[in-house]
Amino acid sequence: MSLKILLEHAARRANRYLDDLQTRGVAPTSDALRRLGELDGDMRSAPIDASTVLALLDDVGSPATVASTGPRYFGFVIGGSLPVGLAASWLASAWDQNAGLVATSPVAAAIEEIALKWSLDVLRLPATTGGAFVTGATMANFTGLAAARHAVLAAAGWDVEQDGLTGAPPVTVVVGAEAHASLLKALALLGLGRNTVVTVPTDAQGRMRADHLPALAPGQPAIVCLQAGNVNTGAFDPAREVCARAHAADAWVHVDGAFGLWAAAAPARAHLVDGVADADSWATDAHKWLNVPYDSGLALVREPAALRAAMAQSAAYYISGAQREPMEYTPETSRRARGVEIWAVLRSLGRTGLADLIERTCALATRFADGLRGAGYEILNDVVLNQVLVSFGTDERTRQVIAAVQRDGTCWCGGTRWHGRDAMRISVSNWATTEDDVDQSIAAIARVAASLPSQSAIGMSSSAR
Ligand SMILES: *Cc1c(COP(=O)(O)O)cnc(C)c1O
């Protein structure tokens, strides 16, 4: 089969998959998961036709996907793919560019610079900020914190890239009690450790309590890590106050804003990111709220030289000219041209389209919370952004409802622990979600919850056994 026909088949199958998202259950059926064995078998010795391979992948693989790109997936903080981002991703796959160097892909290098400029604009960060296109917020945290590690140790007269951490001046790292696990992982990868951090207590919404910041001594290397958008509540750490106090002691402030940073793009939510622009580095995802296809994250560093010092490498054949060399800013050397989808989505949405995407999903989260509260369930957080926490009574009851909602398939919501209680966690992050999707999901959740044996009946049956 010709390449042309093969790609047309792929497009036809992809279109059918996307159409089916409206009607299929969100979670794959157990039958679909069982059939995954059909992808297995001994390694074949001889080649077979590409169209046969594509057909098997679609027939067996597509039903076994989680419909997380569809409009009624509210688990984790995921987001879907805007049509223009998906189409741009296909084209970029055809280009198969190595985005590491200007020499290997002038187009990828140019597009990344533009995508970076526009991202800084909509995120309301300084235009001279440096950036790296990475796989997601975990690597963006790693990259931003690597720049932080470089800068605070360089200020203390230590070259951490050349001399490592053994014998280096100690670095005080401050995090909120609600820091995302990936931020702690990034600290671990950087040799800064998970257990050596100073943890600042948080308030009822998970915000760092600025009044509990430890005293930071000027001249001693220190990094303060803030969060813009708590994965449970959507709450923001008090960035303005923390930045002012940290900077008074020459500390570096890094912000994990995996999804929350995008609140800056919606005028009615921008107050939430007050002071965030005062930080020194930021990590965010494009594959969550910006709705570009996986994988895509951005590490942003106010002083590009600190990022470059942490990430650059040299070899005789990595000639660098006057232009920004992408790989001098990223942990990776060879990588895909991730800037392409970000460029396409920002070009397509414009300022008002992006503001609408953010505002609309926040409003849908409020609609979710109001609907579930109206149905008699308890909302555990202040719904300020796109995140909603729901309790259905006891922990056991809440867990049962979550499992039953996932089995029902109308929508998909995950679970979490919040301040000692089990909760259903709802994140509205997908461009395609409508009011009708939310209403259908509320109805399904209420129906599923009502169909479970009542709490007292559960208590009686388990005590009778
Ligand atoms: C999702 C998330 C991360 C991790 O991002 P990945 O893209 O999965 O690497 C980090 N921090 C926060 C606050 C998040 O929501």
Side-chain angles (χ1 to χ4, degrees):
M1 181 180 283
S2 73
L3 174 60
K4 183 163 179 284
I5 294 177
L6 184 68
L7 291 181
E8 281 167 7
H9 280 198
R12 191 161 43 74
R13 289 177 181 278
N15 276 317
R16 196 175 54 206
Y17 176 78
L18 296 172
D19 284 345
D20 283 352
L21 289 177
Q22 290 300 333
T23 46
R24 62 161 278 189
V26 177
T29 62
S30 49
D31 185 51
L33 295 178
R34 242 188 326 272
R35 284 193 60 202
L36 284 174
E38 294 173 34
L39 300 176
D40 198 359
D42 292 335
M43 177 63 202
R44 292 180 51 83
S45 53
I48 51 169
D49 184 57
S51 66
T52 311
V53 175
L54 186 72
L56 180 64
L57 185 64
D58 185 29
D59 295 344
V60 177
S62 292
T65 56
V66 174
S68 51
T69 201
R72 288 183 306 281
Y73 185 86
F74 306 108
F76 305 91
V77 185
I78 292 276
S81 290
L82 278 156
V84 72
L86 175 58
S89 178
W90 283 6
L91 187 59
S93 287
W95 290 352
D96 191 28
Q97 296 290 280
N98 183 331
L101 287 166
V102 174
T104 55
S105 184
V107 60
I111 286 178
E112 286 195 358
E113 281 199 57
I114 302 161
L116 174 61
K117 181 179 80 174
W118 292 347
S119 298
L120 293 169
D121 181 327
V122 295
L123 294 171
R124 303 183 187 213
L125 298 177
T128 50
T129 298
F133 291 77
V134 294
T135 49
T138 303
M139 281 310 290
N141 278 325
F142 171 84
T143 305
L145 288 167
R149 185 183 68 163
H150 167 84
V152 299
L153 284 172
W158 188 267
D159 184 343
V160 69
E161 282 74 31
Q162 298 306 322
D163 300 327
L165 278 176
T166 308
V171 180
T172 303
V173 179
V174 179
V175 304
E178 283 281 332
H180 195 269
S182 72
L183 183 109
L184 298 173
K185 174 175 171 175
L187 291 170
L189 289 171
L190 289 163
L192 295 170
R194 287 185 168 102
N195 292 339
T196 49
V197 297
V198 180
T199 303
V200 181
T202 45
D203 69 11
Q205 298 301 318
R207 291 174 292 232
M208 181 187 276
R209 291 197 42 190
D211 56 329
H212 280 58
L213 261 191
L216 298 166
Q220 282 190 355
I223 302 169
V224 179
C225 303
L226 289 177
Q227 185 161 256
N230 178 294
V231 281
N232 285 312
T233 63
F236 288 68
D237 286 346
R240 185 168 297 283
E241 188 177 350
V242 174
C243 286
R245 298 197 27 205
H247 286 154
D250 305 325
W252 180 288
V253 180
H254 172 79
V255 178
D256 176 2
F259 61 101
L261 216 53
W262 296 94
R269 309 282 159 174
H271 63 280
L272 293 167
V273 298
D274 178 54
V276 162
D278 294 346
D280 303 287
S281 57
W282 304 265
T284 195
D285 270 317
H287 58 218
K288 287 179 178 168
W289 225 351
L290 189 61
N291 279 259
V292 308
Y294 283 99
D295 44 32
S296 190
L298 272 170
L300 304 166
V301 179
R302 177 186 296 275
E303 182 44 71
L307 176 58
R308 188 167 180 276
M311 292 297 159
Q313 53 182 321
S314 63
Y317 45 86
Y318 289 151
I319 18 78
S320 69
Q323 236 183 304
R324 172 186 181 276
E325 288 294 348
M327 71 171 234
E328 294 188 346
Y329 296 87
T330 49
E332 301 89 353
T333 303
S334 296
R335 64 185 169 78
R336 71 182 195 92
R338 250 179 219 102
V340 170
E341 299 102 350
I342 298 179
W343 175 90
V345 162
L346 291 176
R347 179 89 186 186
S348 163
L349 288 177
R351 241 183 260 286
T352 58
L354 177 59
D356 178 61
L357 166 65
I358 301 302
E359 189 54 42
R360 195 173 71 235
T361 38
C362 289
L364 290 172
T366 300
R367 186 181 185 91
F368 233 127
D370 291 346
L372 289 170
R373 203 185 281 110
Y377 308 116
E378 186 186 359
I379 305 302
L380 302 182
N381 66 313
D382 294 346
V383 181
V384 293
L385 205 66
N386 61 334
Q387 304 291 117
V388 183
L389 297 176
V390 196
S391 167
F392 294 86
T394 63
D395 285 352
E396 191 190 355
R397 180 79 181 172
T398 297
R399 286 196 302 270
Q400 286 173 341
V401 173
I402 294 168
V405 165
Q406 293 176 359
R407 275 194 307 275
D408 170 72
T410 305
C411 65
W412 201 98
C413 305
T416 190
R417 289 283 292 174
W418 181 247
H419 289 191
R421 297 176 68 180
D422 278 298
M424 176 188 273
R425 186 167 72 128
I426 296 169
S427 176
V428 188
S429 317
N430 193 313
W431 69 277
T433 304
T434 62
E435 290 188 346
D436 185 53
D437 287 312
V438 170
D439 294 348
Q440 273 186 54
S441 301
I442 294 168
I445 293 168
R447 171 171 48 74
V448 161
S451 72
L452 291 173
S454 73
Q455 272 170 282
S456 52
I458 293 168
M460 277 161 59
S461 66
S462 55
S463 59
R465 247 182 246 127

